[in-house]
Amino acid sequence: GNSVTQMEGPVTLSEEAFLTINCTYTATGYPSLFWYVQYPGEGLQLLLKATKADDKGSNKGFEATYRKETTSFHLEKGSVQVSDSAVYFCALRNAGNMLTFGGGTRLMVKP
Amino acid sequence: SAVISQKPSRDICQRGTSLTIQCQVDSQVTMMFWYRQQPGQSLTLIATANQGSEATYESGFVIDKFPISRPNLTFSTLTVSNMSPEDSSIYLCSVLSSGVSYDTQYFGPGTRLTVL
């Protein structure tokens, strides 16, 4: 079956630090990969996505590259801000149209 | 992208009562889903809301507890029946667009439910 594994949080960084949140997956076929972000008290927002191997998704300074050889989709940002504090979810969807989520990683950015 | 609204945004309910959550989308969508997010947890799919027919429930969720309606391609409701404190969660509506971003699933803002 499909599964997504994220690094456990919380991840605590100082402002302007480099961010990496690891995400690896197990899936049949060729899934699409997503990162969603949930700000405090809000629903999920799509942050970025990639639909095939070697695709790079990017948005708001965040990037993630679909690595089929390592079954990974790590989220990175070069310089985080306090406003990036949120919970980040890695997810995949295969041809069955079902989203499978990772457990979420809470990011806390301190001024 | 699809714009999704949910009502109510939050509620505090008494044990044994029921609450109906509404989900409205600004465009016709092929698939609609309901998720539950328990405190500090990831998302769990409750069911897929099917237009004009009974919803498809995931393991551990049953129609008597979570009846769902989807009368058209832009609207769905989820009822949480005979509530207990264990039902305190965020309930999220989600849609799969039939447009350009057909493989992207969008989420509503959620309904934060507290059961006393």
Side-chain angles (χ1 to χ4, degrees):
Chain A
N2 299 327
S3 68
V4 177
T5 304
Q6 293 179 233
M7 61 189 292
E8 288 196 18
V11 173
T12 304
L13 296 173
S14 297
E15 207 165 22
E16 299 184 2
F18 184 86
L19 169 71
T20 299
I21 300 178
N22 290 338
C23 171
T24 57
Y25 68 90
T26 302
T28 55
Y30 302 93
S32 295
L33 302 175
F34 305 85
W35 277 100
Y36 286 87
V37 58
Q38 186 175 36
Y39 297 103
E42 300 184 12
L44 268 70
Q45 299 178 25
L46 177 66
L47 181 58
L48 55 83
K49 69 175 184 178
T51 57
K52 61 183 186 296
D54 299 325
D55 267 2
K56 178 185 285 187
S58 62
N59 186 26
K60 298 181 181 180
F62 291 90
E63 292 182 342
T65 301
Y66 190 143
R67 301 288 188 200
K68 187 166 174 59
E69 64 276 14
T70 54
T71 62
S72 65
F73 193 54
H74 304 321
L75 183 68
E76 297 182 336
K77 186 174 185 181
S79 176
V80 294
Q81 305 300 311
V82 173
S83 57
D84 293 326
S85 298
V87 180
Y88 293 81
F89 292 94
C90 185
L92 70 83
R93 186 168 66 249
N94 60 11
N97 282 330
M98 305 304 293
L99 260 185
T100 301
F101 283 93
T105 303
R106 180 176 298 277
L107 170 65
M108 300 172 61
V109 181
K110 298 185 175 181
Chain B
S1 65
V3 178
I4 306 167
S5 60
Q6 285 185 233
K7 291 182 184 179
S9 58
R10 60 178 62 229
D11 207 342
I12 301 173
C13 300
Q14 296 297 319
R15 180 195 299 262
T17 62
S18 297
L19 175 72
T20 295
I21 302 168
Q22 299 180 1
C23 175
Q24 179 73 55
V25 192
D26 69 339
S27 59
Q28 294 185 346
V29 294
T30 53
M31 300 183 77
M32 297 181 76
F33 309 91
W34 287 98
Y35 286 81
R36 180 175 73 183
Q37 185 180 23
Q38 294 177 301
Q41 302 297 312
S42 187
L43 281 76
T44 302
L45 179 64
I46 297 172
T48 302
N50 300 310
Q51 194 255 331
S53 65
E54 192 172 287
T56 304
Y57 290 85
E58 296 301 303
S59 176
F61 298 96
V62 295
I63 187 171
D64 290 346
K65 176 67 176 178
F66 297 102
I68 288 170
S69 77
R70 188 180 174 191
N72 56 52
L73 294 176
T74 63
F75 185 79
S76 177
T77 67
L78 167 74
T79 299
V80 186
S81 303
N82 188 24
M83 288 184 284
S84 67
E86 292 71 34
D87 294 320
S88 297
S89 294
I90 300 173
Y91 292 86
L92 296 121
C93 174
S94 179
V95 305
L96 189 61
S97 175
S98 57
V100 173
S101 299
Y102 69 93
D103 67 335
T104 299
Q105 202 162 317
Y106 297 95
F107 288 81
T111 295
R112 186 177 297 269
L113 172 62
T114 302
V115 184
L116 303 177

